[in-house]
Amino acid sequence: MTRVSGDRVFVASGWLEPTVKKHRISATASHRFWQIAALTVAGTIGIAARADAAVLWSDSDSGYSRPVIVAPPRAQRTSRHKGKHVEAAIKESAKPQGPLIIAVSVSKQNVKIYDSNGFFAEAPVSTGMADRPVVRNDFCLVFLHHDGSDGTSYRLRGDQIDIGRTEGDLLFEDPYLSPRHARIVSGPAGQVLSHLESRNGIYIRLRAGARLKDGDLMLVGRQVLLFELVPAFERDLRPAVHHNVVQFGSTGDPSWGRLRQMGPGGVAHDVFYLNREQVVIGREEGDIVFADDHFMSRRHAHISLRGNDPQLEDLGSSNGTFLRLRGPHGLNSGDLIRMGDELLRFEIG
């Protein structure tokens, strides 16, 4: 836009003012100046018409009114304090109200939260024990008399039950028991019986044949028998020679094992060598006979060699054959346990 006012010309880019010299301008020069200004105005009308620049009028101009510049509407601002109150109210409504109830599901591996208004939230969790079975820690030990009849029944409950003479949860006045003799621990797989470094150990009645290891102790009737494998150098012993004279002695088949009859003093009374593939132990019949043991059946048990594995098996005796525990033993309902001079039957529930 172009405008002429007095001796000034305004275009979109600003005012053009003639240079005023200190000396007086002649009429011819002044007339020439206005011709140039008129041409300049005519040339800039088209350009100025397309310009979007705002035009500011001089305050000293007379006869012209200043255009009213309308400002764009201002965006209404929300009060900062009011916004904080709204935000605080939203946060407050997101909190659980009143006392909380938290329910963890092991099978579903999730947790649910309830407040005073009911269900509030749910989220997955990892308990590390999904589908873990419930541990049943209640069981029963039944005392058995020497004639096999039931005596006192002890109902026990707990993750760990200790048995002993003076220490533990179940006590017996038995000189053959250690102060704290045995322990039964309840776990996901059931109850596990362990001895606590007791002097006389724990014996379990055999339900089927059991493999023997060197140093195993067994209870047959009243006899405590120690099983040993004969070392290779003893199997190949040759007659002794002294001053070129061969030692005379009994001959027989080489033995692969032996049984030591252990006495109360911890020493062996008799030693029985096993040189057959099957050796029977009994009170009246067998290869090894204990005629004075009234707790032993006529044919009580046998030890056999199957390949290189020695096996102990009961022959349907009245009082059974017991093997001393080497380590922890998983109990089954009906198991018979011998510790000290006590005979106990384990039952579930």
Side-chain angles (χ1 to χ4, degrees), residues 32 41 58 71 85 93 133 148 159 175 182 188 202 220 247 267 283 296 316:
R32 195 172 192 182
V41 170
S58 173
H85 290 314
S93 63
D159 295 335
I202 303 170
V220 183
Q247 179 71 41
V267 296
R283 180 170 49 87
M296 190 177 291

Side-chain angles (χ1 to χ4, degrees), residues 49-186:
R50 294 191 299 268
D52 294 331
V55 177
L56 299 180
W57 301 99
S58 173
D59 291 337
S60 59
D61 293 336
S62 58
Y64 294 94
S65 62
R66 180 186 302 176
V68 179
I69 301 174
V70 180
R74 276 180 91 178
Q76 188 172 356
R77 292 188 303 172
T78 304
S79 172
R80 182 178 300 177
H81 298 289
K82 183 177 180 181
K84 288 184 177 179
H85 290 314
V86 173
E87 184 178 354
I90 294 175
K91 289 183 178 180
E92 187 65 26
S93 63
K95 294 181 180 179
Q97 305 297 320
L100 300 181
I101 298 177
I102 301 176
V104 179
S105 174
V106 175
S107 59
K108 296 182 179 180
Q109 294 287 283
N110 68 354
V111 58
K112 292 184 178 181
I113 302 175
Y114 300 85
D115 63 1
S116 59
N117 297 322
F119 176 77
F120 179 76
E122 180 180 5
V125 295
S126 177
T127 62
M129 51 183 181
D131 300 327
R132 181 178 178 181
V134 177
V135 176
R136 184 170 184 177
N137 60 3
D138 59 318
F139 56 91
C140 183
L141 291 177
V142 180
F143 174 80
L144 299 179
H145 296 291
H146 291 299
D147 61 0
S149 61
D150 289 359
T152 306
S153 179
Y154 302 95
R155 301 194 65 84
L156 304 170
R157 180 186 296 272
D159 295 335
Q160 176 179 298
I161 300 294
D162 288 353
I163 305 169
R165 179 166 47 88
T166 59
E167 302 175 6
D169 306 288
L170 182 59
L171 305 179
F172 296 97
E173 294 182 3
D174 187 337
Y176 298 105
L177 289 178
S178 298
R180 192 181 292 267
H181 195 97
R183 175 172 293 166
I184 299 177
V185 176
S186 297

Side-chain angles (χ1 to χ4, degrees), residues 263-284:
V267 296
H269 290 174
D270 292 318
V271 179
F272 306 94
Y273 281 86
L274 313 176
N275 52 20
R276 298 182 181 180
E277 288 187 0
Q278 180 173 294
V279 177
V280 176
I281 305 170
R283 180 170 49 87
E284 296 179 4

